[in-house]
Amino acid sequence: MEYNFRKIEADWQKYWAENQTFKAENPTLSGVEGNSIKPKYYVLDMFPYPSGAGLHVGHPLGYIASDIYARYKRHKGFNVLHPQGYDSFGLPAEQYAIQTGQHPAITTEANIKTYRKQLDQIGFSFDWSREVRTSDPNYYKWTQWIFIQLFNSWYNKESDKAEDISTLISIFSSEGNSKVKAACDHDIERFTAEEWKNFSEEKQQKILLQYRLTFLSETEVNWCPGLGTVLANDEIVNGVSERGGHQVIRKKMMQWSMRITAYAQRLLDGLAKIDWPQSLKDSQTYWIGRSEGAMVNFQILSPALSEGKGAKYMTGGNNSHILLEKAKEMRANPTQAEAILWEQIKSKKLGSKFRQQHLIEDFIADFVCLSKKLIIEVDGEIHESQVEKDAERTSILEDKGYKVIRFKNEEVIGDLESVLEKINYELSNVPLSLGEGLGERISVFTTRPDTIFGVSFMTLAPEHDLVPKITTPEQKAEVEAYIKSTAKRSELERMADVKTISGVFTGAYAEHPFTGKQLPIWIGDYVLAGYGTGAVMSVPCGDQRDYVFAKHFNLEIPNIFEGVDISEEAYADKENSVIANSDFLNGLPYKKAMKRIIFEIEQQGFGYGKVNYRLRDAVFSRQRYWGEPFPVYYKNGLPQMIDPQYLPIVLPEVEKYLPTEDGKPPLGNATVWSWDTNTNKIVSNDLMDHKTVFPLELNTMPGWAGSSSYFNRYMDVNNPNEFVSKEAVEYWQDVDLYIGGSEHATGHLLYSRFWQKFLFDKGVVPVDEYAKKLINQGMILGTSAFVYRWEFKKGKDSEFAKKTIFVSKSVMDRIIKERSAIEHTEKQLLEQDHINLLSACEVKNTIENEWSNFTPIHVDVSFVNTHDELDVEAFRNWREEYKNAVFIGESGEIISSTHSKGDGVELDKKALSFGENLGGDKYIVGREVEKMSKSKYNVVNPDQICEEYGADSLRMFEMFLGPLEQAKPWKTSGISGVLSFLKKLWKLYVVEGKFYVSDETPTKEEYKVLHKTIKKVEEDIESFSFNTSVSTFMIAVNELTALKCNKRSILEPLAVILEPYAPHISEELWKNLGHTTSISTVDFPLFEAKYLVESSKEYPVSFNGKMRFKVELPLGLSAKEIEDVVMAHEKTKEQLQGRTPKKVIIVPGKIVNIVG
RNA sequence: GCCUCGGUGGCGGAAUUGGUAGACGCGCUGGAUUCAAAAUCCAGUAAUCGCAAGGUUGUGUGGGUUCGAUUCCCACCCGAGGUACCA
C-alpha cells in the first residue's frame, strides 16, 4: 500500500467540494446556524487579481499560511470564516481588450477559471459559497452604494466623525457657515443663514460639493498619456507608471476625489490599536506625514520703500486707533451708493478680493483691492466741498502705487452696470510695473517656529501664485527664465538631481514679524508647491537645505543656537537646541521655545499653531472602461446621485475600449449611457432631452474601490438588500488574521482603513479598524539559471566567432582564472572533427585577445534539472539561433553539436553513446536569485509541483522554506525532502503492505514524542512560525520510525495535528483509521505536560564558558550537590590540571560553568 | 540621506528569557540493496591541526558588559525593502 498522493488529493478535494466541508456557519436571529454556537474566527487573504499568467509558486505562500491557521482554528473549536474572491477589475484585462477587442469580462472569467483550478489543486479550505468578484454587478452595486454614502456625508470636526449632509444643510439654514468646523475645501466663501436660503439651488449644490466626503473638483493629477488615465501616487514608481513604465505628467482635470484627509488623525491614532507589522505602520505614519508647527504670515514690502527709508506696512500697520475705529464705524454705516456697490464687488464676485473702508497709510479708502492695487472711491456729499483735498489724496495714493478711480453717488445708483464695467476694465489692466501684490502676505508652514529669529530670507516654490505678482521689473526676465527651466525639468530629473542648488531672487522683500528686518524673497525648486503653502521661511542655521542655499547665493546665516558651530553645516538637532539671539526666546530649549513662540504669534495675530499633514485627498476617477461605473448623472453640469434602489448601474457595452476621439474616457463610446429620471433606467443617448434624460458619468472608479470593504461583504455575501446585515456584522465583527503583501502598505491598506472608519461613523460596521492582526508574507524569489556565451569581439569575422559557443559554469570560472584551462579547451576545440573549419591560428588569436568575454543569458529553469544540469537538446530547440550552438561541458569537453542536418545529428548521437566522453560531461548552468518573473524564465508553476510531488508536499515545502515574513529563494530540489517525509509518515501506518495500527498502549518514549510535538506545533502555529513546525513533524516521524511505533493512540492524534499542513494525507489516514467523517473538525489533541517530565538532565559542563563534556545528573539536585558531583568528576580534574577554580556557576536544570 | 528589516556551514534555515551554535531539510561523500537505474536504507558532513584521542578557530567587522553573548550595549561595513528636497 503505497502513498499515492495523486489519487488521495483528487479524492479529498472532490469530497470537500461536494460536502461543503469548510462552509462557515451563518449567524441567524436566534444565534448561529447549525448545532452549536461557536466563537467566530475570521481568517482573510488579500484576494488576487486574476492575471492571465496564472499562479506561480510565490502566490500561494500567504494562502497556505492562512489556510493552516484557519484549519488549526477549526480544530480549536472556532466557527472559521475563511473566504476567497477576486479583485477582478483592472488594467491588464482592459489592455488586452484594447489589443484584441475581447471583452474584459470574458478575459476575466477565463482567468478566474484558471485561478480556481490552480487554487483547488492546493487543497485550500476556502468557503467558496462566499466568493466575491469586484467586477460582478451584484458586488459592485455595494461599491456604488458606499460611494453614494460618502457623497451624502460631510466630516464634522466638532463631533470628529462623518455626518449626514442633512445636518450640514440645517446648520447652514440656521446660522450660515461661519461657525462650521468641517473637513472641506479651503477658500470657501462665508455666508449667513439668510444668504444660504436665498442662494439658487445650483449654488447651494456647488457649496455642498465643497464639503462632501467624495467631491468633484478640478485637481492637478498624474496624467499618464501612455495609458490614457490618471494614476494615484502609489501607482507611480520613479516618476513613471508602475504598470508599463509610461511617462507621467501633471495635468488639471475635473475629478472625483475622496476626502481621506478628514481622517488623517484617526488613521494615525488607529495604528496604535492594531497588531500590524511595525514597518507597515511606519510606512502609513510617514505617508500621512503629520507634523506639528505653525502657520506664520510675512508681510510683503514695497520694493520702492525697501530700497529707501525703511519698511512700513502698506495696509493696517501703524494707523492710529482713532482711524481704525472710524473705519469700523463707516463700514457699519455705509451710504446707499456704497452699500449698492459693495453688494456687487464683495466675496470676490469680480474675481478679486475687495476690502471695505480699509486703511491705507493714514487714509481710509472706500474700497480697495490690495492684490490689484486698485482703490475705488465713491463720492457722496461729504466730499463734494473737498475736491482739492481729494486730488491731493489721490496723488499721494498714486505715489504709493495705487490706481484710484472715483465714482459719484448718482453714477453708482443710476448706472451700476457701466460702473462695474469700468472697475472690471481696471482690474484686468493693472500693469505689472505697478508692483502688484503689495500688501499681500506670504503664508508659510514651519515645524520650527522657535527658530523664527534665524530667518534670513524667504523661499517660494517657482509655481507659487505670488511669484509673478511680487517680482520686480528688474528681476522679471531672470525669474521667468528660471520658472521656465524648472517647469521643463521632469519630476524624474528633479529627483535624480537633488544636489544642484538653483534659485533666483525676486527683487521683493518680506518683513520679519518680530524684528521688522527685510528678508529677501527668493524662489527655488527645493521648495515644493504641493506641500504646506509652497513657501518656506528660510532658517539657514537650522535647516540644511536652507543652509546650502544660503551658502550658494551668499545669503546671511545668522546663528540663533547657543554654543553651536554652524560654520560647516546647519544644526538641525531640535531636541538638544537652546535658542540664542532671539529676543524673548533666548535661553529656552526647544519645547519651551515652541510653546512661547506659538503663543506670541497667536497673540500678535500673524499666525497660529497648526498640525499639517502630508496626506492628500485621493483622486477617485479613472479614464478607463474596466472599472465600477459611478452611480452619477449630470444635471446642468452638477452631479446627481442615482437613488440606491436602482443600483447596480451596470457597465455599458462599448465598441472600442480606447478613449474617444475628442478625449473623453472609454465610456464616451457607449451609445446607451444616459439616465432617465422618469423611468429610472439607463437609456440611449439619443433620448437625451435635458428634461428627464441626462448624461451619466464617463469615468470609472479606481482599482482600490472594490477592495476597500470586501472583507465586510464576505460576512453576508449573498444579501441582496443590504451591504452587510446587522446580525452578520455584529457576529463576525472584524478580521482576526489578515495575510497579504506589504506592497499595499500605502494603497489598499490605507484606503480600506479610511472606508472602514467612514462606515463605522455611519453605523454600518461596529468597529473602526477591520483587521486586528496583519502579517505580510515575504516574496518567494526565483532562482534564475544562466548559460554563458563565450563571445569574441576581435575575431568577429572568423568562422569560429560566428559560432554560438556556451561554456559550462565552472569552465567559465576556470577560463577566467587560469590560462592553462584555456589551452586545454583550445586543444579540445581543435581536436574535434566538426570544428575543423577554424584554423588554429584563429583560435589562438581570438583566445589571446578576447578570452574572458562572457555574456550570461537567462535560460528557462524547466530545462535545468535539480543538479543544475542543462537539458542541452531542449535548450537548442527553444530558439532557432541556438540550434547549432556548441556546448562545452564541465570538464571542458564539447558535448555535441548539431552542426549539419541529417547525418550530422545521427553522428552526434553516436558520439554521445560511444565516444570517449560518453555523456559524462554535463553542462552546468549558473544560478542567481532574482524576483520571479516571466522575462527571467525563472517562474515555477505550482501545477507542475502538485503533479510531481503532490499538494501536501507543496504546502509543507513552502512553509519549510523559511520564516513566513521573510523573502526567500525557491529551489525545487529541496521539495524531495518533504515528499520523503510524507512517505515515511505513511509507512508508520502500514505494516507488511497493509494499513494497520495496533491498539497497544504506547510506551513512555512514544508518548513523549507525541506530546513534545503537540506542544511545539501548537506554539509554532500560534506564533506563525510554520517553518519550524515542519521540522518538528520531521523529527517526530524520524523518532517514531526509530521506535517502530505503530500505535493508534500515537498515530491518530499525529494525523490531527498534521492536518492543517498536509490535509489530504491526514484525511486519508483518518479514513483508514476507521473514521467516517472529515478530520477537519476533530478536536486538536490536548497537550499533557506529564509526558514530558524528566527525571534527569544531561548537564553541559563548561570551563570559562566553553563546553567540554556532559554529565547525566538527576533533576532536583541542589546547586551544591551538582557542584560536588561535577568537581569530583575525573574530566573536571583533567581540565583543571590541579588548579583551583575561582568560581563555579551552577544553574540547576541548565548549565555548569567553571571559571579557572 | 532617512525609516524598517536582515547578515549563522556549499545552500534554505534552527537556537523560546543571556546558558551545549549549526536542529530539520537540500546538496555532497562513502556504504548497503540492484544486472543496472530509480526508489529505499545506513554512516559521515562548519573550518583547521592530528593516525587517533583530542586541540584550536568560528554566528558581517571592531570594541564593551557578563562566569557565559548568534542573543544585550556602542561604533562601523554590507545586503534587501520602503521613502524621498515634507519646511
Side-chain angles (χ1 to χ4, degrees), chain A residues 664-914:
Chain A
K664 282 188 198 145
L667 292 192
N669 292 319
T671 50
V672 183
W673 196 237
S674 298
W675 186 250
D676 186 342
T677 53
N678 249 348
T679 59
N680 290 304
K681 282 200 172 91
I682 298 169
V683 295
S684 167
N685 297 352
D686 301 338
L687 298 171
M688 214 186 301
D689 59 4
H690 300 284
K691 280 179 202 132
T692 65
V693 179
F694 302 95
L696 282 153
E697 169 73 56
L698 299 180
N699 288 294
T700 53
M701 297 187 195
W704 54 271
S707 60
S708 290
S709 206
Y710 73 113
F711 36 85
N712 288 316
R713 184 64 182 164
Y714 276 137
M715 297 174 185
D716 196 13
V717 76
N718 296 314
N719 189 337
N721 305 316
E722 283 171 286
F723 170 55
V724 55
S725 75
K726 261 257 128 26
E727 54 191 350
V729 78
E730 281 297 335
Y731 175 73
W732 293 111
Q733 291 273 317
D734 55 4
V735 175
D736 294 282
L737 175 64
Y738 193 14
I739 295 185
S742 60
E743 67 272 22
H744 299 109
T746 51
H748 159 63
L749 290 173
L750 194 61
Y751 298 131
S752 52
R753 290 183 59 225
F754 156 47
W755 278 30
Q756 181 75 6
K757 287 183 189 302
F758 167 71
L759 293 173
F760 172 76
D761 289 351
K762 300 292 286 182
V764 178
V765 296
V767 284
D768 73 339
E769 288 292 346
Y770 69 87
K772 286 198 191 90
K773 180 170 179 68
L774 181 133
I775 294 177
N776 291 132
Q777 88 273 24
M779 205 193 311
I780 290 190
L781 303 162
T783 310
S784 302
F786 294 91
V787 292
Y788 299 94
R789 186 171 173 172
W790 195 0
E791 284 194 278
F792 304 92
K793 277 187 194 157
K794 291 215 171 138
K796 239 178 204 159
D797 302 325
S798 69
E799 286 297 313
F800 182 61
K802 278 182 193 159
K803 287 230 152 240
T804 304
I805 300 177
F806 292 109
V807 292
S808 195
K809 176 72 169 53
S810 68
V811 173
M812 177 186 74
D813 295 342
R814 254 183 345 206
I815 291 173
I816 290 168
K817 265 194 200 144
E818 306 164 31
R819 187 71 197 169
S820 64
I822 309 161
E823 268 147 25
H824 171 78
T825 315
E826 180 188 349
K827 236 165 107 190
Q828 284 294 320
L829 285 169
L830 292 170
E831 278 167 10
Q832 287 290 330
D833 206 13
H834 40 260
I835 311 252
N836 62 7
L837 31 97
L838 49 104
S839 72
C841 183
E842 257 182 328
V843 176
K844 208 166 170 127
N845 284 343
T846 325
I847 290 172
E848 268 169 13
N849 293 329
E850 292 295 331
W851 58 276
S852 64
N853 198 9
F854 296 94
T855 313
I857 292 169
H858 275 101
V859 40
D860 196 310
V861 288
S862 64
F863 302 153
V864 182
N865 70 10
T866 54
H867 301 281
D868 288 355
E869 290 162 15
L870 178 71
D871 180 341
V872 171
E873 281 314 305
F875 181 62
R876 276 213 173 100
N877 294 329
W878 187 37
R879 291 274 165 86
E880 189 55 38
E881 67 227 71
Y882 301 146
K883 267 250 137 58
N884 295 314
V886 175
F887 289 84
I888 297 168
E890 275 298 272
S891 56
E893 313 282 337
I894 285 173
I895 294 174
S896 74
S897 173
T898 47
H899 55 92
S900 60
K901 287 183 183 175
D903 290 347
V905 179
E906 287 304 311
L907 271 171
D908 281 333
K909 279 186 184 159
K910 269 185 188 164
L912 269 172
S913 5
F914 304 111

Side-chain angles (χ1 to χ4, degrees), chain A residues 482-515:
Chain A
Y482 181 68
I483 293 172
K484 231 179 170 178
S485 80
T486 53
K488 243 193 348 206
R489 274 190 352 146
S490 71
E491 204 63 12
L492 202 64
E493 279 174 274
R494 247 165 108 160
M495 258 161 57
D497 178 31
V498 174
K499 296 243 156 59
T500 313
I501 299 144
S502 69
V504 173
F505 180 45
T506 61
Y509 290 84
E511 188 195 46
H512 193 288
F514 288 102
T515 65

Side-chain angles (χ1 to χ4, degrees), chain A residues 9 26 73 109 249 316 358 421 426 461 573 594 608 622 685 702 755 784 891 927 930 932 984 1034 1058 1155:
Chain A
E9 291 176 359
N26 260 325
K73 280 288 174 183
E109 179 69 37
I249 56 166
H358 191 81
E421 201 178 308
E426 291 297 339
D573 179 359
M594 282 288 281
Y608 51 93
R622 295 290 183 276
N685 297 352
W755 278 30
S784 302
S891 56
R927 292 291 203 175
E930 299 177 293
M932 222 176 247
K984 240 169 140 177
M1034 288 174 171
L1058 182 69
V1155 187

Side-chain angles (χ1 to χ4, degrees), chain A residues 951-1001:
Chain A
D952 285 339
S953 289
L954 174 73
R955 292 169 63 105
M956 292 204 89
F957 184 58
E958 292 224 0
M959 291 299 101
F960 190 51
L961 278 175
L964 179 61
E965 295 174 64
Q966 195 176 298
K968 54 231 158 212
W970 174 272
K971 261 182 98 182
T972 305
S973 60
I975 200 168
S976 63
V978 285
L979 179 58
S980 50
F981 154 75
L982 290 173
K983 286 180 183 166
K984 240 169 140 177
L985 170 87
W986 184 262
K987 276 192 192 162
L988 287 174
Y989 298 75
V990 174
V991 177
E992 287 169 1
K994 280 192 181 142
F995 197 94
Y996 174 79
V997 288
S998 92
D999 290 321
E1000 278 173 73
T1001 309

